[in-house]
């Protein structure tokens, strides 16, 4: 049996798309690697949606998850897409029987931008997003001295959530370069202030709530030190004892599946990342595939909800259930919601752009294969012109994560060593299986 | 070093390298390893360096562990279940010992 729409990912975009598509009479299946809907932003929301420590924004995901559960869709949790044939609409799955679908929506969201510093592979160093997932899914908080380092809206949010949960961090190290605020405020003055006021207000509230936590601004030269786990965080001009170091430099679209499919991609200079090229409805360069939510460019959960509805309306139109006029009419409120949700984005992009810093040679770039920045630079000077060639030189990007974590770093190092740009260097071309699978799964083919 | 918030009930008992640890419903195997205070969830195949879970969202593969006898599982994507046995994964698989 061939269904109308297969949705990969049950975060805000995937859930919203599923609800809208089912409402339009499409047969819908949704798969997600996780055991429950929510994505990362609403991870565990059905368990912890009412937790005052996590806040009102997080609780908004509860209504979405409930509507998703109530919608007439086939829901396949704990299921991994390991191959997609977009021509045939054939999805090879691990955890559920394979699917055939007329249209596929990738709602695979974002991942945290890698933060390659010396010592970032030490036990006790993890991402701020990882720590927040522990809090959301299991009520787990760090014990001992916790240091938050980096920049982006997640850091003050997590600091506030930890404070409410009775586990405030000992120190916040902000890597936003000095003088950035002025440029960002100029971006804000150019537009977006009024439309984005509710988001700005929330951000200011979080900053006020975490004012009592010691903080260093304009931090550079960050590194983690310790023998078999992190014991100390060091920066230019200072250091502090540390049991848990939580790193964050913003989020970037998860490009693994779009890149593997060969979808047309573009370099987003403002967000310093790659994103699939999509139209206003999320349609990609492949006629059967759409991308919605943060996976098509970072916009946050409200923009993702709007994008999910828009992608579902477009799917219905393409499958002959809606006229183009009716699709466009129904799209209007979602386009307006997305514009509002994105109003503050130029300000955030300008404020939290990663600081241009040279990565020390001894830093591990590829965590899986333990390849250092210095090795990548040397290979680039020897003649490895791009990330795919670098695999042959050094095996970076060929470990179990398949380059998810080192891709942006390796590309930036090649660009630096060869005097060109990340846009010109490109990214790894991943191959199926998108995630490692067992021989047993292959044998079922 | 991680701890449970006092108001969260730990109702699921799993074993991390043989030692029992109680974790809440909804916790992943990776969360159980962190709550158990283990020094590492795996040792890397290249240098044998210790690692603990890093991204908790299925991207980094630093939480690869042996779960109920199956190696190379992404522990952050596996919900903890009663009696589950989570074991540290040590280095590369040895194909041939001279």
């Amino acid at each position: 049996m061939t269904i109308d729409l297969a949705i990969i990912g049950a975060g805000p975009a995937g859930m919203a798309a599923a609800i809208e598509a089912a409402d339009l009479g499409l047969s819908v299946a949704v798969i997600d690697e996780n055991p429950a809907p929510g994505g990362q932003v609403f991870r565990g929301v059905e368990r912890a949606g009412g937790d005052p420590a996590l806040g009102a924004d997080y609780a908004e995901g509860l209504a979405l998850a409930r509507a998703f559960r109530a919608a007439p869709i086939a829901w396949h949790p704990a299921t991994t897409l390991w191959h997609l044939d977009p021509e045939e609409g054939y999805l090879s799955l691990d955890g559920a029987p394979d699917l055939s679908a007329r249209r596929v929506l990738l709602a695979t969201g974002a991942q945290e931008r890698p933060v390659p510093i010396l010592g970032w592979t030490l036990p006790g160093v993890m991402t701020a997003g990882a720590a927040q997932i522990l809090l959301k899914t299991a009520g787990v908080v760090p014990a001992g001295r916790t240091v938050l380092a980096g920049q982006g809206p997640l850091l003050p949010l997590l600091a506030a959530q930890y404070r409410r949960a009775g586990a405030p961090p000992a120190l916040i190290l902000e890597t936003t370069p000095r003088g950035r605020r002025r440029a960002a405020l100029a971006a804000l003055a150019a537009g977006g202030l009024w439309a984005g006021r509710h988001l700005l207000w929330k951000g200011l509230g979080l900053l006020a709530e975490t004012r009592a936590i010691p903080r260093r601004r304009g931090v550079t030269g960050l590194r983690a030190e310790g023998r078999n786990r992190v014991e100390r965080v060091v920066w230019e001009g200072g250091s502090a004892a540390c049991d848990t170091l939580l790193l964050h430099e913003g989020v970037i679209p998860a490009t693994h599946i779009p890149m593997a499919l060969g979808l047309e991609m573009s370099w987003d200079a403002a967000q310093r990342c790659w994103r699939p090229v999509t139209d206003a409805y999320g349609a990609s360069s492949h006629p059967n595939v759409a991308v919605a939510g943060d996976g098509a460019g970072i916009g946050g959960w409200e923009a993702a909800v709007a994008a999910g509805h828009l992608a579902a309306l477009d799917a219905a139109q393409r499958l002959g259930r809606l006229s183009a006029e009716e699709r466009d009419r129904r799209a209007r409120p979602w386009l307006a919601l997305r514009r509002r949700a994105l109003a503050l984005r130029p300000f955030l992009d300008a404020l939290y752009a990663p600081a241009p810093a040279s990565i020390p040679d001894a830093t591990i770039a590829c965590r899986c294969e333990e390849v250092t920045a210095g090795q990548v630079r040397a290979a680039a000077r020897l003649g490895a012109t791009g990330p795919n060639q670098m695999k042959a030189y050094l095996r970076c990007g060929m470990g179990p994560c398949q380059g998810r974590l080192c891709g942006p770093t390796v590309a930036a190092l090649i660009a630096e060593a060869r005097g060109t740009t990340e846009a010109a260097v490109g990214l790894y071309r991943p191959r199926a299986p998108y995630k490692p699978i067992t021989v047993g799964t292959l044998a079922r083919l | 070093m991680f701890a449970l918030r006092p108001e969260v009930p730990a109702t699921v008992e799993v074993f991390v390298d043989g030692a029992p640890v109680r974790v809440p419903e909804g916790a992943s195997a990776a969360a159980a390893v962190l709550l158990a205070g283990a020094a590492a969830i795996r040792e890397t195949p290249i240098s044998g360096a210790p690692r603990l879970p890093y991204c908790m969202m299925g991207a980094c593969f630093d939480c690869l562990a042996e779960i109920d006898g199956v190696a190379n599982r992404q522990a952050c994507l596996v919900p903890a279940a009663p009696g589950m046995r989570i074991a540290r994964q040590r280095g590369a698989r040895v194909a041939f010992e001279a």
Side-chain angles (χ1 to χ4, degrees):
Chain A
M1 191 193 79
T2 301
I3 58 162
D4 291 323
L5 180 64
I7 300 173
I8 317 305
M15 287 193 288
I19 293 162
E20 179 76 60
D23 193 50
L24 292 163
L26 272 59
S27 53
V28 181
V30 181
I31 74 150
D32 194 292
E33 285 187 320
N34 290 289
Q40 303 311 333
V41 66
F42 297 133
R43 188 84 179 262
V45 73
E46 292 169 303
R47 186 197 77 88
D51 184 342
L54 292 169
D57 242 30
Y58 178 69
E60 290 198 51
L62 204 48
L64 194 56
R66 283 186 182 138
F68 175 76
R69 291 278 192 188
I73 55 167
W75 162 229
H76 302 293
T79 298
T80 301
L81 174 75
W82 62 268
H83 181 254
L84 169 63
D85 179 339
E87 312 298 332
E88 298 293 323
Y90 192 83
L91 294 87
S92 304
L93 304 178
D94 192 9
D98 291 353
L99 276 174
S100 290
R102 292 183 183 86
R103 188 162 181 78
V104 178
L105 173 62
L106 302 175
T108 47
Q111 66 173 62
E112 289 177 274
R113 187 188 298 280
V115 190
I117 61 167
L118 286 166
W120 71 314
T121 53
L122 284 171
V125 182
M126 65 197 310
T127 72
Q132 198 195 34
I133 287 166
L134 284 166
L135 178 62
K136 288 169 175 173
T137 54
V140 172
V141 291
R145 282 180 58 88
T146 307
V147 178
L148 270 53
Q151 57 174 348
L154 179 62
L155 280 193
L157 174 61
L158 183 62
Q161 289 172 331
Y162 274 163
R163 193 176 157 272
R164 296 176 207 144
L171 178 65
I172 300 175
L173 298 173
E174 287 183 0
T175 56
T176 306
R178 293 176 195 285
R180 227 1 130 51
R181 262 156 232 271
R182 201 171 310 144
L185 286 171
L188 190 61
L193 177 57
W194 182 248
R197 63 191 184 282
H198 69 294
L199 288 171
L200 196 61
W201 188 247
K202 279 181 206 167
L204 291 171
L206 291 173
L207 291 178
E209 204 180 331
T210 54
R211 203 163 32 202
I213 299 166
R215 171 186 309 252
R216 300 278 179 285
R217 293 207 164 86
V219 166
T220 58
L222 196 67
R223 64 181 193 271
E225 290 182 353
R227 269 158 57 85
N228 286 317
R229 58 168 295 118
V230 65
E231 292 161 18
R232 177 163 291 273
V233 56
V234 181
W235 64 95
E236 200 69 50
S239 73
C242 169
D243 297 304
T244 302
L245 175 61
L246 303 177
L247 301 172
H248 186 72
E249 284 283 343
V251 297
I252 55 176
T255 54
H256 201 75
I257 297 173
M259 285 294 297
L261 294 178
L263 299 185
E264 191 188 336
M265 308 288 290
S266 70
W267 174 255
D268 185 327
Q271 298 189 340
R272 293 279 307 276
C273 61
W274 289 91
R275 60 200 281 177
V277 175
T278 56
D279 70 8
Y281 285 102
S284 76
S285 60
H286 194 285
N288 300 339
V289 179
V291 190
D294 273 359
I298 302 306
W301 73 267
E302 286 170 293
V305 165
H309 283 277
L310 291 165
L313 289 168
D314 195 44
Q317 191 272 324
R318 285 166 185 264
L319 297 171
R321 315 294 172 81
L322 275 185
S323 68
E325 295 73 32
E326 183 60 14
R327 175 199 63 183
D328 294 347
R329 193 187 65 76
R330 293 189 190 208
R332 264 177 234 132
W334 299 114
L335 289 168
L337 171 68
R338 184 162 64 181
R339 266 196 305 277
R340 263 200 317 282
L342 293 178
L344 216 53
R345 215 23 75 174
F347 166 73
L348 294 173
D349 291 343
L351 182 59
Y352 296 132
S358 191
I359 303 167
D361 272 343
T363 312
I364 286 182
C366 168
R367 297 173 62 97
C368 295
E369 295 291 320
E370 299 182 84
V371 177
T372 66
Q375 287 175 282
V376 175
R377 285 192 179 104
R381 285 192 290 264
L382 269 176
T385 55
N388 295 311
Q389 238 184 333
M390 200 58 80
K391 291 183 188 176
Y393 275 68
L394 297 172
R395 278 197 57 81
C396 57
M398 297 186 74
C401 98
Q402 298 175 293
R404 286 171 171 86
L405 264 280
C406 68
T409 309
V410 167
L413 288 167
I414 295 171
E416 180 206 89
R418 299 186 65 85
T420 180
T421 62
E422 285 156 275
V425 164
L427 269 184
Y428 293 128
R429 174 75 189 266
R431 309 275 170 196
Y434 309 143
K435 285 255 173 129
I437 49 172
T438 61
V439 174
T441 298
L442 263 181
R444 281 198 294 275
L445 282 178
Chain B
M1 292 197 291
F2 287 89
L4 261 191
R5 289 166 69 189
E7 63 273 29
V8 177
T11 53
V12 181
E13 187 177 66
V14 302
F15 298 88
V16 175
D17 280 329
V21 56
R22 295 182 82 83
V23 301
E25 196 112 0
S28 62
V33 168
L34 291 169
L35 278 173
I41 194 167
R42 70 178 184 117
E43 287 155 12
T44 60
I46 312 294
S47 73
R51 294 280 172 90
L52 277 176
Y54 179 74
C55 83
M56 292 299 286
M57 57 177 84
C60 79
F61 289 71
D62 257 324
C63 66
L64 291 181
E66 189 185 303
I67 299 177
D68 288 336
V70 180
N72 285 313
R73 307 231 21 220
Q74 286 188 278
C76 74
L77 294 175
V78 178
M84 177 178 275
R85 295 189 167 270
I86 308 155
R88 189 190 298 200
Q89 189 162 306
R90 293 175 195 275
R93 186 174 297 189
V94 179
F96 175 75
E97 271 183 277

